[in-house]
Amino acid sequence: MALIECPNCKNEVSDAAEKCPHCGHKLKEKKYKIFPKILIPIVIAIIGLGIFVGIKVQEEKQRAIEEQKRIEEQRRQEQIATLKKQAEEAYNIADFTTVESYYDELDNLGYDTSSQREILSYDKEVFPVAYDFHTKIKDADNKITNRSASSLNALIGTLKIPFSKMDNAKANSASKIGQYINDVKGNSMYYMFESEFINDTSKDLDNWLVKDGYYIVLQVYTNELADIEFPYIPEE
């Protein structure tokens, strides 16, 4: 331990002494008083770093949550697109029961199918009428075109009920079947054919003298109506 001179009284004192034993002059500050001055900025820096890290961690968590939401929404949209395509494919073969099951799945995914269900309900109601008319007029047209009807009177008779039901069918322009019904009933040949041959049974279409002529006339009507495209063809 060395001796130093007190700057106040000039007496020798130990260099370890905090104050002069002779005059009481303070020789140096206590070490513990110096430490807080050094520690304060360090503590502030640590706290600031902790806050910064905390904010960054929260931002990363939020980004991860948003990314997960984006992935889930993308997956949902892909599922919706797939179900809509499958429903359309089922519609094309008039499998309305399967279409309805796909609509149920779409609803479960949060996709509103209320407007599609309104059309589906209409289509299920009018499909039997429209499709029966379509198949009967196609069959009649084929037999008339090929001159293969054993009896024209009987052939035209098979069209009476399909025409009558078609008369009562409501057209809905939002539905493809409704458009078909509208196209049929909007065709001038429909009502002319119905008036001249379906409802008028006074003509003897099988009279051998005029049968060939009736074939020619009837073909004009049936060709026109049979050429109207039907939107959905059921699987055999």
Side-chain angles (χ1 to χ4, degrees):
M1 185 178 296
L3 295 175
I4 60 173
E5 185 181 86
C6 174
N8 185 52
C9 67
K10 307 302 181 182
N11 288 312
E12 291 184 340
V13 296
S14 172
D15 64 352
E18 295 182 0
K19 62 181 179 179
C20 177
H22 304 289
C23 66
H25 180 75
K26 290 183 178 181
L27 299 174
K28 58 184 178 181
E29 296 289 340
K30 290 184 179 180
K31 291 182 180 180
Y32 71 84
K33 292 184 179 180
I34 298 174
F35 290 156
K37 294 180 180 179
I38 299 173
L39 291 174
I40 288 173
I42 294 175
V43 171
I44 292 174
I46 292 173
I47 292 173
L49 179 61
I51 294 173
F52 175 78
V53 171
I55 291 173
K56 287 298 181 182
V57 169
Q58 282 300 117
E59 289 178 349
E60 286 300 320
K61 285 183 178 179
Q62 188 61 34
R63 275 195 288 269
I65 291 172
E66 293 299 324
E67 178 63 13
Q68 184 62 32
K69 287 181 179 179
R70 185 192 68 78
I71 292 172
E72 290 176 358
E73 178 60 20
Q74 182 179 4
R75 187 181 298 117
R76 188 180 78 91
Q77 292 299 331
E78 289 173 352
Q79 290 175 324
I80 288 173
T82 298
L83 287 169
K84 288 172 68 176
K85 182 178 180 181
Q86 291 173 328
E88 183 179 357
E89 291 172 350
Y91 232 121
N92 287 334
I93 58 173
D95 185 358
F96 300 130
T97 300
T98 299
V99 171
E100 196 161 18
S101 70
Y102 287 136
Y103 285 173
D104 290 341
E105 293 185 55
L106 285 167
D107 284 338
N108 290 335
L109 288 172
Y111 183 87
D112 185 8
T113 62
S114 55
S115 59
Q116 288 93 333
R117 287 180 185 275
E118 288 181 11
I119 297 173
L120 177 62
S121 177
Y122 166 81
D123 285 345
K124 289 168 68 176
E125 179 183 350
V126 300
F127 176 81
V129 172
Y131 189 62
D132 183 59
F133 178 87
H134 168 73
T135 55
K136 293 291 177 51
I137 199 71
K138 290 282 287 186
D139 179 66
D141 179 62
N142 181 62
K143 290 177 179 177
I144 290 171
T145 300
N146 295 321
R147 304 294 193 269
S148 60
S150 58
S151 168
L152 282 176
N153 287 328
L155 180 63
I156 298 304
T158 63
L159 298 175
K160 189 172 183 65
I161 292 177
F163 265 83
S164 176
K165 289 183 177 180
M166 183 64 83
D167 287 342
N168 296 321
K170 295 179 181 179
N172 182 347
S173 59
S175 157
K176 289 184 178 181
I177 299 178
Q179 291 174 9
Y180 170 80
I181 293 172
N182 192 57
D183 289 343
V184 169
K185 295 168 72 171
N187 191 303
S188 60
M189 293 295 182
Y190 175 82
Y191 289 106
M192 290 172 62
F193 184 34
E194 186 176 33
S195 175
E196 292 293 324
F197 295 99
I198 305 299
N199 294 336
D200 185 356
T201 58
S202 63
K203 302 180 180 69
D204 183 6
L205 304 179
D206 291 328
N207 186 295
W208 67 276
L209 291 174
V210 293
K211 188 172 184 178
D212 285 342
Y214 278 129
Y215 263 121
I216 294 171
V217 174
L218 291 171
Q219 186 176 346
V220 173
Y221 292 105
T222 58
N223 277 177
E224 183 81 14
L225 297 174
D227 284 344
I228 299 175
E229 186 177 358
F230 194 79
Y232 308 125
I233 305 299
E235 287 187 333
E236 296 296 334

